[in-house]
Amino acid sequence: MTSPLQLEDHAPWRQRFRSGNLGYVYVAPESPSSGIVHATLGGPAKRIFTWDTSSGDLRPLLPDGETPAYGWLGPKGDYLYYLQDDGGSELGHIVRVPLTGGPAEDLTPDLPPYTLRGFDISRNGACLAFDAVYDNRYWFYCIALASDGSSSPPQLVYTAREETWACHLSYDGALLAVKSTHRAPHSRRYTTLVFNTNSGEHVAELWDGSDYSVEPVQFSPLRGDERLLAASNASGALLPLLWDPRSNERRDITVPSAAGSVLPLDWSPDGGKLLVQTRAGKHEGLFIYNLNDEDLLPLQHEPGAFRGRTGPYHTGTAASFFAPDGTVWAQWSDASHPSQLLSLTTTDRPKPILPVAHCPPGRPWRSVSFPGSDGVSVQAWLGIPSSSEGSEGPFPAILHVHGGPSGAASNAFDAPSQAWLDHGFAYLTVNYRGSTGFGRDFQEKINGDVGRWELEDMVAARRWLIGEGIADPNGILLEGGSYGGFLTVWALSQEPDLWAGGIAPVAIVDWTMNYEDSSAAMKGWARMIFDGTPQEKPELYRDRSPLTHAAAIQAPLLIFQGRRDSRATPRQMERFARKMEALQKDFTLVWLDSGHGLPSAATAEHIQETHLKFAYRVLGLQGRDVD
């Protein structure tokens, strides 16, 4: 049975939102005492702090209210670079700020506002490369950075209409590697292209065939060494490789002792070792791979989840990396413990690097699986509330679907899920078809057939929860944001009798209108997942839009939406709200003055409180006040 609605200020679920949240860290490779930390520390908003790695001192760098989602530190620790946008819209210009403080300098004043899909600075600090998406194209520019602090205007190196992501520069900035879908424009099967940054000349391509994907990770950290660390799934599992674009010499790295895919994260400063992430059973693991003797050595750590490559563009740096002292610094969490930066070795227990804020412990998750409608195994993570009150289920339940759809839920800390568990709800987050990490067929099953297989897997998850005696059939609510928001509203419209309610912070409800209003980067993604534009596939865009089927929705629905969102855009939600009102549906829409992400931990806490009140109302539970 559920507990009373916990609205008191000291409630454990509130403390988890307030206890501090580590976003990412970055250490300047040529100035290892200089770093930046993006986190919620001692206040309600995420901020970027300068970090003296020797003394541990942290200092806010940017003014209050200036909270970019991601920033990069110059290799010499001199400047912070970030996309300065309009209130989280993800449309803006790259600026830089001295780490000593000062005004932001716009490095691309003559370009229109753009979305970023790649960023890098060469190890010697002489070249900055970025992937700007605007006018329905992907534009790769380079900026020369002089030692006196001056910079050149952006020089165009390459442009493409198909999705082309990421920027990786060689040590001296002479070579730029990107990942392109030009050979498979309606799937995210990549080929790696390399260009000369001075002339724009196409130097080489690394392609493993139309059925596979090969992606750049990082150039060698050594001066004069132009080998590129990359990853390919041509063997059936993702494995590292080293490739010289000029000579075309290639070395595939096989790791017989590893289970499944081996994701390369970082290259040691001496060039002799790789940091890789792999999976053993249900647990993720970090390992050191010695390039000379081909040994794979496990780093000592507890089971949990490690962040891979950080940033919204899978570029910049790894969240787990070789540290200045020769150890590995890794961002680790599990469902019960928030993210923290740990120092890992192959012999000793992990040691914390940054102070860890006090946080009430959460409930653990366990990995479960069940068959989809076609017999394919679907994996999910399950949390069960405490049985201290004598109840073993069935419970009211949250069936959560992650965004993306590329990406996957993992055994990582999540404050909202723990809030549900505190209140006596079971919590299941599903890695539905379209999620990454379960093979190419699993991931690409949804392409050109948006919504069908994801919904099949959600229904299978519901069936499993009921069959196991975990969930009350009349008390299952859907929850998901972004693409998960679309799936939540979509499922309410397609299987209206199965759900007690839906909660969708940011959602796409009209694919055609969203295409018209969204950023150029989002348009490229929509063309890929729908296998065409709204003009080419008008019936598919219309049929897979929840707006088309709004009359079928029976369960109450709650949506938070950002006024500045360039992914799930405002106009399509305004139209949906008018239709739901005309149909006299139980629908609550709350507008935020933000973009696709949440601006602060305080906002996230407020949204979770609203979610809890909504659930208690629609399920008729204790604490029905929803003001």
Side-chain angles (χ1 to χ4, degrees):
M1 57 186 296
T2 57
S3 65
L5 190 55
Q6 303 166 28
L7 299 181
E8 60 273 15
D9 190 65
H10 61 276
W13 73 268
R14 292 194 188 278
Q15 298 309 309
R16 294 192 193 97
F17 282 94
R18 300 174 186 179
S19 62
N21 177 47
L22 178 62
Y24 59 84
V25 298
Y26 189 105
V27 176
E30 300 300 317
S31 179
S33 64
S34 299
I36 55 173
V37 175
H38 181 258
T40 305
L41 298 174
K46 291 180 180 178
R47 301 192 68 178
I48 293 181
F49 299 83
T50 62
W51 178 31
D52 186 324
T53 63
S54 301
S55 66
D57 289 343
L58 294 166
R59 177 179 59 84
L61 178 59
L62 301 178
D64 287 339
E66 186 76 2
T67 55
Y70 199 80
W72 295 267
L73 183 60
K76 298 177 182 179
D78 46 4
Y79 290 96
L80 169 73
Y81 298 80
Y82 62 95
L83 182 74
Q84 189 175 65
D85 62 6
D86 179 20
S89 68
E90 300 180 274
L91 294 167
H93 283 186
I94 293 172
V95 301
R96 66 177 180 178
V97 174
L99 240 63
T100 54
E105 174 193 0
D106 188 344
L107 296 181
T108 62
D110 296 327
L111 292 183
Y114 48 81
T115 302
L116 273 180
R117 285 296 178 263
F119 182 98
D120 197 17
I121 301 178
S122 61
R123 185 72 176 246
N124 69 351
C127 182
L128 181 157
F130 64 100
D131 178 7
V133 191
Y134 63 91
D135 289 347
N136 290 327
R137 296 189 71 85
Y138 297 76
W139 308 82
F140 288 82
Y141 292 98
C142 283
I143 295 175
L145 303 174
S147 57
D148 63 2
S150 61
S151 62
S152 72
Q155 175 184 339
L156 182 64
V157 176
Y158 176 66
T159 184
R161 185 175 185 272
E162 303 87 5
E163 277 197 306
T164 309
W165 286 37
C167 292
H168 300 276
L169 287 167
S170 59
Y171 182 97
D172 60 1
L175 297 179
L176 170 67
V178 306
K179 60 181 186 181
S180 168
T181 62
H182 80 100
R183 292 188 179 272
H186 300 305
S187 69
R188 282 181 172 165
R189 299 180 198 171
Y190 295 104
T191 180
T192 292
L193 306 177
V194 176
F195 300 92
N196 183 305
T197 58
N198 291 317
S199 65
E201 172 195 2
H202 178 210
V203 175
E205 179 178 10
L206 185 60
W207 183 50
D208 280 344
S210 58
D211 289 335
Y212 306 107
S213 188
V214 57
E215 303 183 34
V217 175
Q218 183 182 357
F219 274 99
S220 168
L222 303 179
R223 186 190 304 271
D225 184 357
E226 292 185 325
R227 289 177 300 163
L228 177 68
L229 173 64
S232 170
N233 61 5
S235 68
L238 192 70
L239 292 174
L241 63 93
L242 298 177
W243 174 57
D244 186 326
R246 295 197 191 273
S247 67
N248 205 33
E249 181 180 352
R250 171 172 173 166
R251 173 186 173 184
D252 287 283
I253 298 173
T254 57
V255 191
S257 59
S261 293
V262 179
L263 174 66
L265 297 179
D266 197 20
W267 199 330
S268 65
D270 63 5
K273 297 181 286 292
L274 301 178
L275 173 64
V276 300
Q277 182 176 4
T278 186
R279 183 179 295 276
K282 300 173 183 177
H283 304 299
E284 298 178 17
L286 292 184
F287 296 79
I288 298 292
Y289 182 82
N290 193 308
L291 287 168
N292 295 322
D293 56 24
E294 302 184 350
D295 282 343
L296 187 69
L297 302 176
L299 291 161
Q300 300 301 307
H301 57 77
E302 298 297 322
F306 291 92
R307 293 188 68 190
R309 300 197 70 78
T310 63
Y313 329 112
H314 305 284
T315 184
T317 185
S320 302
F321 53 92
F322 286 99
D325 63 1
T327 67
V328 167
W329 289 358
Q331 283 183 243
W332 171 92
S333 74
D334 66 13
S336 304
H337 302 91
S339 179
Q340 52 187 294
L341 185 66
L342 302 176
S343 175
L344 306 180
T345 71
T346 58
T347 56
D348 300 324
R349 290 177 58 83
K351 298 178 181 178
I353 298 299
L354 288 168
V356 178
H358 171 71
C359 179
R363 298 285 300 165
W365 291 357
R366 63 182 174 93
S367 178
V368 300
S369 60
F370 45 84
S373 61
D374 58 350
V376 170
S377 180
V378 178
Q379 189 270 341
W381 291 95
L382 174 69
I384 296 293
S386 172
S387 59
S388 60
E389 296 183 0
S391 174
E392 298 293 339
F395 307 99
I398 300 297
L399 200 163
H400 177 265
V401 280
H402 63 76
S406 58
S410 62
N411 184 25
F413 183 75
D414 178 66
S417 71
Q418 294 297 330
W420 291 114
L421 292 169
D422 281 358
H423 285 82
F425 287 75
Y427 185 90
L428 185 75
T429 180
V430 182
N431 283 316
Y432 53 83
R433 234 68 67 94
S435 302
T436 53
F438 302 92
R440 187 193 70 199
D441 291 343
F442 193 96
Q443 181 178 347
E444 295 184 1
K445 186 77 170 179
I446 70 173
N447 291 0
D449 198 8
V450 172
R452 176 188 170 189
W453 291 101
E454 304 95 305
L455 178 59
E456 294 277 345
D457 293 343
M458 294 162 70
V459 172
R462 179 186 184 273
R463 185 183 308 117
W464 181 86
L465 281 169
I466 296 169
E468 293 292 312
I470 295 169
D472 175 357
N474 298 314
I476 300 176
L477 290 91
L478 289 172
E479 180 189 60
S482 192
Y483 193 82
F486 153 67
L487 290 178
T488 294
V489 188
W490 173 247
L492 293 185
S493 74
Q494 299 301 298
E495 296 286 355
D497 297 329
L498 301 186
W499 321 107
I503 300 169
V506 301
I508 297 173
V509 291
D510 185 322
W511 285 104
T512 299
M513 190 176 294
N514 200 72
Y515 185 93
E516 293 169 354
D517 294 352
S518 63
S519 68
M522 274 294 294
K523 286 183 173 68
W525 170 78
R527 290 193 296 270
M528 181 276 297
I529 201 168
F530 275 90
D531 195 19
T533 67
Q535 290 73 35
E536 295 165 337
K537 298 289 183 73
E539 288 305 313
L540 184 62
Y541 273 76
R542 180 183 180 278
D543 179 66
R544 301 306 161 92
S545 295
L547 176 68
T548 304
H549 311 282
I553 296 175
Q554 297 178 14
L557 174 61
L558 168 65
I559 292 181
F560 279 81
Q561 199 79 9
R563 284 287 185 192
R564 303 171 190 270
D565 197 337
S566 62
R567 301 192 193 197
T569 56
R571 186 168 64 102
Q572 48 111 29
M573 186 55 67
E574 291 170 347
R575 182 178 175 187
F576 182 76
R578 289 194 298 270
K579 186 165 186 178
M580 292 290 279
E581 181 180 6
L583 293 167
Q584 297 183 316
K585 301 294 184 179
D586 186 342
F587 176 59
T588 304
L589 174 61
V590 181
W591 287 102
L592 299 173
D593 186 23
S594 63
H596 200 63
L598 299 180
S600 70
T603 301
E605 180 185 335
H606 168 68
I607 288 175
Q608 183 60 42
E609 179 179 332
T610 308
H611 289 180
L612 289 165
K613 289 178 177 179
F614 172 82
Y616 272 62
R617 174 179 71 84
V618 302
L619 296 179
L621 303 173
Q622 293 175 315
R624 296 182 62 182
D625 178 13
V626 293
D627 292 336

